[in-house]
Amino acid sequence: MTQDWLNRREHGAGIVELQLGNGPSNALSPGLLQDFAQQIAELDASEAVEVILIGSPFKAFSVGTDSSQNSDAFKTALDTALITLFSCQTPTIAVVNGDIHGPGLSLILTCDDRIGVTKSGYSYDGVHSGLEMSAVETVLVNQMLDQNVLRRLALTGQTIGPVAARNYGIIDIVAEDQEDLWMYALREAKAYAALAPDRFSKTKTCIRAHTLNLMRSAAG
């Protein structure tokens, strides 16, 4: 790894967690996103890795971005990270331990399974901050979120809680606390690890092909 902002944590049985370690807010940057995409590609290529967890050791999962989000370098790096994670053939699970906004929220939308803890918030606040979505991010949110949900989130910039996020299909499971969060995450991971890898890969490729093609076209 080229930076301290990404860490790997082994959970046994081929379950590997990639932690976003740019504390305290896990601010995303072009460099972090480039390294993230590289790490995901390496984990996906490893025969020893059965499931990839995306987590954070901090109170926030990812809330920090600044005006660099509107730069071409940031958007290109984000597009690469989103496509790499969305096309990953290994099962991916987002373990959302705290607040998550903007590009961080888009990252978890690419995952196969998403688990969030209570007392966390989810938002796209570009209408307030002036931060723009990248081309691939725009395709992703339009494909992965119901249009009325996206309209409500994007045009108001409001932060919603985990129950609403579950109802909107942003996360799949709401955990009561950190202990429950990891209990659910490891239980889900073991269930994915028990699947035949080739059958999982073929099924995932089939159901994601249309959206992935749109994302790649948007990236140019």
Side-chain angles (χ1 to χ4, degrees):
M1 291 177 284
T2 59
Q3 296 287 345
D4 293 333
W5 52 42
L6 291 171
N7 304 291
R8 292 186 188 182
R9 181 184 177 195
E10 304 282 344
H11 291 275
I15 301 169
V16 180
E17 178 190 357
L18 185 60
Q19 291 184 332
L20 303 177
N22 191 25
S25 64
N26 272 327
L28 300 180
S29 67
L32 187 155
L33 290 165
Q34 289 166 2
D35 282 359
F36 178 85
Q38 179 181 343
Q39 291 288 316
I40 291 297
E42 291 178 1
L43 290 170
D44 193 25
S46 173
E47 294 183 359
V49 178
E50 301 287 345
V51 180
I52 302 170
L53 307 178
I54 311 297
S56 164
F58 307 114
K59 290 184 179 180
F61 183 91
S62 180
V63 297
T65 51
D66 55 31
S67 59
S68 70
Q69 184 178 328
N70 291 339
S71 70
D72 290 340
F74 184 95
K75 292 177 181 179
T76 298
L78 177 61
D79 287 352
T80 299
L82 292 174
I83 290 173
T84 302
L85 191 54
F86 192 79
S87 62
C88 181
Q89 297 301 291
T90 305
T92 57
I93 301 175
V95 187
V96 184
N97 62 307
D99 290 346
I100 181 168
H101 306 304
L105 180 51
S106 296
L107 274 181
I108 74 162
L109 290 179
T110 67
C111 291
D112 304 312
D113 203 337
R114 310 161 205 148
I115 306 167
V117 73
T118 55
K119 298 181 180 179
S120 57
Y122 303 73
S123 76
Y124 285 108
D125 63 353
V127 70
H128 298 306
S129 66
L131 299 178
E132 303 167 358
M133 289 187 180
S134 71
V136 170
E137 186 179 16
T138 301
V139 170
L140 176 74
V141 298
N142 274 282
Q143 291 293 308
M144 301 301 288
L145 296 176
D146 176 88
Q147 286 298 298
N148 284 320
V149 170
L150 180 58
R151 170 182 60 82
R152 185 64 181 168
L153 289 176
L155 296 186
T156 66
Q158 73 179 90
T159 298
I160 62 171
V163 173
R166 181 187 59 194
N167 293 341
Y168 289 164
I170 294 172
I171 59 175
D172 303 301
I173 300 172
V174 177
E176 289 297 321
D177 52 33
Q178 297 292 328
E179 183 178 352
D180 278 351
L181 179 70
W182 282 102
M183 178 193 72
Y184 284 126
L186 294 177
R187 186 188 68 182
E188 293 288 287
K190 290 175 182 177
Y192 279 103
L195 299 173
D198 58 335
R199 294 176 183 174
F200 176 86
S201 176
K202 288 179 181 178
T203 301
K204 183 173 180 176
T205 298
C206 179
I207 66 174
R208 292 200 167 194
H210 175 67
T211 299
L212 185 57
N213 287 336
L214 292 176
M215 292 168 68
R216 286 172 170 160
S217 294

